[in-house]
Amino acid sequence: MNQEPTISYRRQFVILLALIGVFTVIASFSLIMLARMNLNVSMTLVPELLNKSENVNLARWLNTLATFLMFFMPAILFARILSRKPLDYLGFNRLMSGKQIGIVVILTLAAMITSGALGDLNQRIPLPATWMAKARAMEDAYRSTMMSMAMMKNFKEYLLVLLVVATAPAIFEEVLFRGTFQQLFIGWTKNAWIGIFITSIVFSAIHISYFGFLPRLALGMVLGFIFYYGKNIWLNILLHFLNNALIVTGIYQDIKHGQSIEKAMDENMPIWWIGLFGIAGLLLLFRLFKKETRKVLATQSLVATDENSIEQ
């Protein structure tokens, strides 16, 4: 990051936004056409029918395809423009340690505690009446979509939701936000904290949920520092997946025990947990993670040196 790139960060930003715009159009068109073909209805009826329970699996697969096109494809093409090794640029690094993975698993729990507490705080932030009404309307639309996606009647549907709600977003979102946006913003601002913070704001805002903004901002910061220190997108994907999977599993268990999905999705933790367990745990775990990562990166450097010696 010390050398100026061949393509300026301003132009990189424009290129990335252009790619996202193009693939968003492609995704929207593809989703509507595929839904129309499967449902055999006019395009105007597609949004209404996709929200019906009998079409939920189709909606899940189409949403996964749309996310792949809007997030993953722009990131891959952007990385290819900037590097001859796009996967390396995005952080697909095979070298990691078991201790790193263990720390990331525990970091997931600490991040969820912090995010849950921040969700409680987010609910308490006052807004002008007109803004609150708009925020509530956006939240109701978001929750309606998520409740439809997360409704699980049996174990088979639970596994499907794990795939489309936990696994796919973990891969596609991390590749775009940490693999491209974060690297771009850190290079542009010349400051890791600012770059990670800006990326986390964009990451949270893209979910269009005011009452979930602070929790996702905190999760984005945790994911951002994992990528910044770990240099390995797989560790990010792991934490993101575990976060989503634990939420999906909790909802599935609540539904199995007769609890409504509305109540299952509306659980936050007391605010005081932030200071007592969340932030304190995150700080300690990141110290351990940084220490372990230095060892892994040192090993990686030695391996690269040995490979160069063999080639020569």
Side-chain angles (χ1 to χ4, degrees):
M1 303 301 287
N2 293 326
Q3 296 180 348
E4 286 298 319
T6 54
I7 302 175
S8 71
Y9 291 113
R10 186 187 300 274
R11 289 184 179 179
Q12 287 184 33
F13 184 63
V14 172
I15 290 170
L16 183 55
L17 289 186
L19 288 170
I20 292 171
V22 168
F23 277 97
T24 297
V25 172
I26 294 173
S28 301
F29 179 78
S30 301
L31 188 149
I32 292 173
M33 295 306 296
L34 288 171
R36 183 170 176 265
M37 290 167 58
N38 278 274
L39 299 172
N40 196 26
V41 297
S42 65
M43 288 189 291
T44 56
L45 294 175
V46 166
E48 178 184 350
L49 290 177
L50 283 179
N51 282 328
K52 291 186 178 295
S53 59
E54 60 267 28
N55 298 320
V56 65
N57 283 341
L58 175 60
R60 286 166 176 162
W61 286 115
L62 289 178
N63 183 74
T64 302
L65 173 62
T67 308
F68 169 79
L69 291 172
M70 290 189 295
F71 289 1
F72 190 80
M73 287 304 298
I76 287 290
L77 289 178
F78 178 78
R80 184 64 186 87
I81 290 170
L82 296 184
S83 173
R84 293 180 179 179
K85 297 181 178 180
L87 294 182
D88 290 348
Y89 176 87
L90 294 170
F92 283 97
N93 186 347
R94 290 174 296 176
L95 190 60
M96 66 183 81
S97 72
K99 190 172 181 180
Q100 271 184 314
I101 294 172
I103 294 171
V104 166
V105 171
I106 303 173
L107 266 169
T108 304
L109 301 177
M112 292 185 72
I113 290 172
T114 304
S115 295
L118 285 171
D120 188 27
L121 177 62
N122 212 148
Q123 298 278 352
R124 298 167 186 253
I125 298 175
L127 282 177
T130 53
W131 290 16
M132 181 62 75
K134 291 179 181 178
R136 288 289 181 192
M138 291 171 61
E139 189 70 17
D140 289 344
Y142 176 78
R143 284 175 60 82
S144 176
T145 301
M146 290 309 299
M147 282 190 292
S148 175
M149 296 283 289
M151 188 63 200
M152 297 161 278
K153 297 177 182 179
N154 51 53
F155 186 70
K156 183 178 178 180
E157 286 196 355
Y158 164 68
L159 293 178
L160 176 59
V161 173
L162 273 183
L163 176 63
V164 301
V165 175
T167 308
I171 297 171
F172 303 154
E173 291 181 12
E174 288 311 300
V175 167
L176 178 65
F177 290 102
R178 257 53 68 176
T180 62
F181 272 117
Q182 179 168 307
Q183 296 196 78
L184 192 160
F185 285 136
I186 290 178
W188 200 353
T189 62
K190 302 294 191 294
N191 186 296
W193 279 84
I194 295 175
I196 291 171
F197 184 65
I198 295 173
T199 304
S200 301
I201 290 175
V202 177
F203 169 72
S204 185
I206 204 74
H207 290 84
I208 317 176
S209 170
Y210 168 75
F211 297 101
F213 183 80
L214 289 181
R216 289 191 183 88
L217 176 64
L219 177 63
M221 293 291 288
V222 171
L223 288 164
F225 281 109
I226 284 177
F227 187 64
Y228 180 70
Y229 293 127
K231 316 295 184 191
N232 193 330
I233 201 73
W234 288 117
L235 296 172
N236 283 76
I237 291 170
L238 173 62
L239 190 148
H240 200 145
F241 166 76
L242 289 174
N243 177 82
N244 294 353
L246 288 172
I247 293 172
V248 168
T249 302
I251 293 173
Y252 176 64
Q253 289 298 322
D254 287 342
I255 292 173
K256 277 184 62 178
H257 291 88
Q259 188 169 322
S260 69
I261 189 169
E262 292 88 349
K263 186 171 178 58
M265 291 182 66
D266 193 28
E267 295 183 353
N268 290 318
M269 299 180 182
I271 289 177
W272 58 269
W273 278 45
I274 297 176
L276 187 58
F277 293 110
I279 294 177
L282 287 173
L283 292 174
L284 175 60
L285 288 166
F286 265 114
R287 288 185 63 183
L288 296 174
F289 182 75
K290 287 167 62 178
K291 183 178 180 181
E292 179 63 19
T293 297
R294 281 195 291 267
K295 295 179 182 177
V296 172
L297 293 177
T299 302
Q300 187 179 38
S301 179
L302 289 173
V303 170
T305 301
D306 290 342
E307 289 177 350
N308 290 334
S309 298
I310 293 172
E311 290 175 1
Q312 293 174 359

